[in-house]
Amino acid sequence: MRGFGDLEAVIMDRIWDRDAETITVRELYDELRAEREIAYTTVMSTMDNLHRKDWLERERAGKAYRYWPTMTREEHGAKLMLEALGSGGRPDLVLSHFVDRISEEESAGLRAALRIRKTPGPNS
């Protein structure tokens, strides 16, 4: 799995910030155009590329498409972490170095997530 290019990251952040709403190229272009010089076709081709890479889903709405993300920002972060864990040498050492560098708050969140993961479910 590869990360996003600069504009892809901006677009995905905007879409994730919409909390599961769909968005058209025109709507996103209008938002971006208010802050930077950008061509409509650049936004359109970037969103089409994100669709081809399976980061965005879309459906036809009249002459346009409405787009939405195929995964949450958190699911994307988890995929990046798994990629790093699997490609950085010994996974136990990668994880150890990671834990050494996170804040106390992040460490507490990780411990809480591990406790939830260890707790047997009702069907276990």
Side-chain angles (χ1 to χ4, degrees):
M1 181 177 73
R2 294 177 21 213
F4 298 125
D6 291 340
L7 184 56
E8 289 176 333
V10 168
I11 287 174
M12 289 304 298
D13 279 338
R14 291 294 177 112
I15 292 172
W16 279 323
D17 287 345
R18 296 180 78 81
D19 293 327
E21 288 182 39
T22 63
I23 190 167
T24 65
V25 172
R26 171 63 61 191
E27 291 165 342
L28 190 54
Y29 167 75
D30 289 343
E31 283 184 24
L32 294 173
R33 182 74 174 101
E35 299 170 9
R36 61 164 70 186
E37 277 294 313
I38 193 163
Y40 176 87
T41 54
T42 300
V43 177
M44 181 176 62
S45 62
T46 303
M47 290 175 75
D48 185 59
N49 288 340
L50 287 164
H51 175 259
R52 284 189 294 104
K53 294 176 181 180
D54 293 324
W55 291 108
L56 293 177
E57 189 59 63
R58 69 183 181 193
E59 69 182 4
R60 178 104 25 210
K63 292 183 179 182
Y65 285 105
R66 296 205 68 80
Y67 290 85
W68 64 92
T70 59
M71 68 179 64
T72 66
R73 184 184 320 241
E74 293 76 16
E75 290 168 330
H76 173 255
K79 281 188 171 233
L80 291 175
M81 290 169 60
L82 281 171
E83 180 182 282
L85 189 61
S87 66
R90 286 184 38 200
D92 59 327
L93 293 179
V94 172
L95 190 54
S96 177
H97 288 294
F98 171 75
V99 169
D100 286 345
R101 287 168 177 77
I102 62 177
S103 69
E104 281 300 317
E105 184 177 313
E106 292 163 332
S107 180
L110 180 57
R111 285 191 304 276
L114 289 171
R115 277 192 300 276
I116 291 168
R117 177 86 165 96
K118 286 182 180 180
T119 304
N123 298 325
S124 297

